[in-house]
Amino acid sequence: MLHQFRIMVVVHQKNVVFEESTLARNLEPKCKQCRREGEKLFLKGEKCFTDKCAIERRNYPPGQHGQKKGRLSDYGGQLREKQKIRKIYGVLERQFRNIYKSADQQRGVTGDNLLQLLESRLDNVAFHMGFGSSRSEARQIVRHNCILVNGRRVNIPAFLVKAGDTIEITKNAKQQLRIKTSIEAADRRNFPAWIEMNVQEMKGIFKSKPERSELPATINESLVVELYSK
């Protein structure tokens, strides 16, 4: 269920290359979203790493006919993959389309460029650094002015982080228990190779854009390229 309370606005900032919605959000239950895609999308934070995860108990789509197996057409498979990637990174349809356009205009493989742009978003980087237990929580922390990028406060989730940028929690926000807990949990699971993290100082460095081999193999971005190439 998508609730949109205000029209889309374009963020005029150098590091933001696509539209950002101020109040639009997807209110569909997160566990149902995972079940619809048939895999963990890690939308519920720590719950996704326990046996309470909905996928562990009911790994079939929600609804009356969820357990009936059906065969998707080629178009249906492409559409489902696009929806899955959108849900993983928490972006809306128009945002995703604009991100794809930016990826297509860059040199290199469009699919790889697409994932690198999504991974470079500030809310996603904050999530990987453990500042939020999920991407939605990390996005909220960014919105609440709790993040500094190279010493400057940034509250735009769609802000694109560059290689070498330093991201840290503001002094006042370091006292928040939820942030401390999230960082400790992320530290136990280990941080991605493209991130250098100082847990004690709640500060990290975005060393480089991740290579495709470092990202989940369950994502098939080539299907999205095929979908938008029609």
Side-chain angles (χ1 to χ4, degrees):
M1 181 185 300
L2 179 65
H3 281 209
Q4 185 133 4
F5 305 99
R6 190 179 298 176
I7 60 172
M8 304 291 290
V9 296
V10 179
V11 180
H12 296 284
Q13 184 157 336
K14 183 178 180 180
N15 286 53
V16 182
V17 294
F18 39 84
E19 287 182 322
E20 180 72 12
S21 175
T22 55
L23 292 176
R25 52 188 177 140
N26 189 347
L27 299 182
E28 183 183 4
K30 291 180 172 57
C31 289
K32 281 190 175 183
Q33 295 181 45
C34 293
R35 289 176 58 201
R36 180 66 185 84
E37 304 306 331
E39 63 183 84
K40 291 187 179 184
L41 304 183
F42 298 97
L43 306 178
K44 290 282 286 186
E46 288 304 304
K47 182 180 178 181
C48 298
F49 298 94
T50 69
D51 55 6
K52 293 183 180 180
C53 174
I55 290 294
E56 300 290 346
R57 296 181 294 172
R58 294 174 292 176
N59 190 8
Y60 53 84
Q64 180 179 0
H65 305 291
Q67 298 186 58
K68 293 183 178 180
K69 294 183 179 180
R71 185 178 180 277
L72 282 177
S73 64
D74 291 342
Y75 173 77
Q78 295 164 1
L79 187 61
R80 283 259 55 87
E81 192 65 23
K82 183 202 68 170
Q83 298 294 72
K84 182 181 77 174
I85 297 175
R86 276 188 49 228
K87 291 173 182 177
I88 290 175
Y89 290 99
V91 295
L92 301 175
E93 179 62 38
R94 190 177 297 182
Q95 293 171 329
F96 188 84
R97 186 178 293 274
N98 286 331
I99 295 170
Y100 179 84
K101 288 179 181 178
S102 296
D104 193 36
Q105 292 169 359
Q106 294 179 5
R107 293 183 178 179
V109 180
T110 300
D112 293 355
N113 294 339
L114 172 66
L115 294 183
Q116 287 181 341
L117 281 174
L118 290 167
E119 287 288 342
S120 299
R121 284 173 55 103
L122 180 57
D123 55 356
N124 184 75
V125 176
F127 164 68
H128 283 307
M129 290 184 173
F131 299 159
S133 61
S134 64
R135 285 182 175 85
S136 59
E137 185 174 78
R139 186 176 303 111
Q140 185 182 62
I141 288 171
V142 173
R143 284 288 190 198
H144 289 181
N145 293 297
C146 298
I147 299 291
L148 299 177
V149 179
N150 297 328
R152 300 181 62 181
R153 195 183 302 270
V154 179
N155 62 1
I156 302 173
F159 181 90
L160 294 182
V161 179
K162 297 180 179 178
D165 283 353
T166 299
I167 296 89
E168 61 184 307
I169 295 294
T170 60
K171 183 177 179 180
N172 291 337
K174 288 181 179 180
Q175 306 306 316
Q176 293 187 25
L177 180 60
R178 66 168 178 167
I179 296 179
K180 292 180 180 179
T181 303
S182 295
I183 293 177
E184 291 171 359
D187 187 30
R188 290 193 296 269
R189 294 192 297 268
N190 295 325
F191 298 100
W194 63 90
I195 286 176
E196 181 181 323
M197 188 65 187
N198 187 322
V199 175
Q200 286 70 35
E201 295 184 8
M202 298 187 181
K203 177 190 297 187
I205 298 175
F206 185 72
K207 296 193 296 185
S208 63
K209 293 180 179 179
E211 298 294 330
R212 180 62 187 92
S213 59
E214 297 174 310
L215 298 176
T218 56
I219 295 177
N220 190 349
E221 67 281 0
S222 62
L223 292 179
V224 178
V225 176
E226 291 174 9
L227 176 66
Y228 283 127
S229 297
K230 292 180 177 180

